[in-house]
């Protein structure tokens, strides 16, 4: 099978042009190659093909076993994956979406990553029948709709859309900005703390428009997660749907046997 070309269309050697391995033993050179390839993987799209072991060995002037060891290390770290007969491909580490109830901002900070946002929009609109039922409202009641792409260390991770009752948060449209944590704002301004949520998870595929916003390819799999959050009194706070990139997330669930009746 012919080797796939890199996603940006450049020749393999050109991708590593300018990277120089200093004079040292094979182990030292192997570490330098590992660092160079790790940087290449971090700046490349998932599924980008790495140069072959032969090309890398020639480029850096080392034995193929040295290159193989560097790629082994990247594979163990989850930065690349090997496919027999095809080569090694960039693979970005996946984050675990667990059962612990956190906002996106809280979750990214917990992981030591910087949360962010882009493509922010907010508007006031009448609640659809479905949104009204979820928020315990009457169809047509005004709700605040907030949509934005959520990022971690600058990388798009999820397309987040949520709805909140306008009567409960009347000036949220004026207060909410792109990078604000919604939950922190609700707590500090309105004294409302989302405490728990009902979530459903489905597998979907990204539309061309959504894929563009998330810097990935149309048709890529994603997790479609619907969430209805409640405050400490059990009252509905928000209802929304978010699309999480399937190449950046895995879903974790804890299961056990039902108690004997």
């Amino acid at each position: 099978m012919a080797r796939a070309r890199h996603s940006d269309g450049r020749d393999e050697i050109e991708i590593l042009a300018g990277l120089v391995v200093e004079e040292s033993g094979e182990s030292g050179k192997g570490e330098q190659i590992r660092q160079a390839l790790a940087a290449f993987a971090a700046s490349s799209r998932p599924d980008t093909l790495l140069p072959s072991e032969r090309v890398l060995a020639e480029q850096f002037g080392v034995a193929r076993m040295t290159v193989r060891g560097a790629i082994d290390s990247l594979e163990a770290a989850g930065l690349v994956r090997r496919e027999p007969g095809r080569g090694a491909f960039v693979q970005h580490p996946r984050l675990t979406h667990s059962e612990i109830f956190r906002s996106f901002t809280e979750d990214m900070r917990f992981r030591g990553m910087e949360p962010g946002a882009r493509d922010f929009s907010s508007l006031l609109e009448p609640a659809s029948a479905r949104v009204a039922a979820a928020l315990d409202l009457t169809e047509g009641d005004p709700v605040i709709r907030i949509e934005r792409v959520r990022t971690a260390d600058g990388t798009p991770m999820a397309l987040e859309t949520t709805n909140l009752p306008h009567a409960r948060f009347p000036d949220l449209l004026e207060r909410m900005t792109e990078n604000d944590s919604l939950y922190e704002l609700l707590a500090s301004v309105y004294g409302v703390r989302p405490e728990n949520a009902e979530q459903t998870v489905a597998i979907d595929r990204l539309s061309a428009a959504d894929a563009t916003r998330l810097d990935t390819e149309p048709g890529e799999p994603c997790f479609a997660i619907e969430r209805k959050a409640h405050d400490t009194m059990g009252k509905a706070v928000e209802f929304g749907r978010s699309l999480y990139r399937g190449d950046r997330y895995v879903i974790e669930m804890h299961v056990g046997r039902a108690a004997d009746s």
Side-chain angles (χ1 to χ4, degrees):
M1 180 180 295
R3 287 174 61 83
R5 293 189 62 80
H6 294 279
S7 59
D8 60 5
R10 293 182 294 174
D11 184 79
E12 290 174 327
I13 294 180
E14 290 179 350
I15 288 176
L16 293 172
L19 297 178
V20 178
V21 173
E22 299 175 358
E23 289 297 327
S24 61
E26 285 295 308
S27 61
K29 289 182 178 180
E31 175 57 22
Q32 292 177 57
I33 293 170
R34 187 199 66 77
Q35 292 178 7
L37 292 178
F40 170 68
S43 63
S44 301
R45 287 181 178 273
D47 298 325
T48 298
L49 178 67
L50 265 66
S52 69
E53 292 180 4
R54 176 186 60 78
V55 168
L56 290 171
E58 292 175 354
Q59 174 75 8
F60 291 119
V62 298
R64 289 182 65 170
M65 286 299 294
T66 301
V67 171
R68 188 168 302 157
I71 296 177
D72 285 344
S73 178
L74 296 181
E75 185 177 28
L79 296 177
V80 303
R81 73 177 189 281
R82 282 190 172 99
E83 294 186 8
R86 299 192 65 204
F89 294 81
V90 171
Q91 175 174 282
H92 292 167
R94 292 185 175 186
L95 303 181
T96 300
H97 195 288
S98 72
E99 294 176 329
I100 299 174
F101 180 53
R102 298 190 185 100
S103 69
F104 182 91
T105 298
E106 292 169 333
D107 192 34
M108 293 305 108
R109 288 175 180 165
F110 176 79
R111 300 172 191 273
M113 306 175 79
E114 181 62 31
R118 70 186 196 194
D119 299 345
F120 173 83
S121 67
S122 60
L123 55 86
L124 191 66
E125 64 180 15
S128 66
R130 191 158 182 264
V131 170
L135 294 176
D136 301 323
L137 302 174
T138 299
E139 183 176 358
D141 282 352
V143 294
I144 300 165
R145 178 185 173 90
I146 297 172
E147 183 173 294
R148 53 184 170 170
V149 172
R150 303 310 311 268
T151 64
D153 289 343
T155 299
M157 304 294 283
L159 175 57
E160 189 178 82
T161 303
T162 194
N163 304 273
L164 302 97
H166 179 257
R168 193 173 188 188
F169 310 110
D171 56 352
L172 182 61
L173 279 173
E174 290 74 33
R175 292 181 178 273
M176 183 79 180
T177 62
E178 183 173 80
N179 287 304
D180 282 333
S181 165
L182 175 62
Y183 284 9
E184 289 177 1
L185 190 63
L186 296 182
S188 63
V189 176
Y190 304 99
V192 174
R193 295 183 181 277
E195 186 68 19
N196 57 70
E198 301 165 3
Q199 289 193 159
T200 60
V201 181
I203 305 299
D204 205 344
R205 291 195 176 274
L206 292 170
S207 68
D210 291 341
T212 297
R213 298 179 71 181
L214 290 172
D215 287 354
T216 188
E217 299 298 323
E220 284 294 298
C222 65
F223 293 108
I225 301 179
E226 285 192 351
R227 172 187 284 189
K228 177 181 177 180
H230 308 86
D231 62 17
T232 54
M233 301 300 291
K235 191 172 183 180
V237 174
E238 63 154 345
F239 172 68
R241 183 174 187 263
S242 298
L243 302 178
Y244 285 80
R245 287 176 51 170
D247 63 330
R248 300 310 300 266
Y249 277 91
V250 294
I251 302 294
E252 178 182 80
M253 294 179 290
H254 297 278
V255 299
R257 293 185 181 277
D260 293 337
S261 54

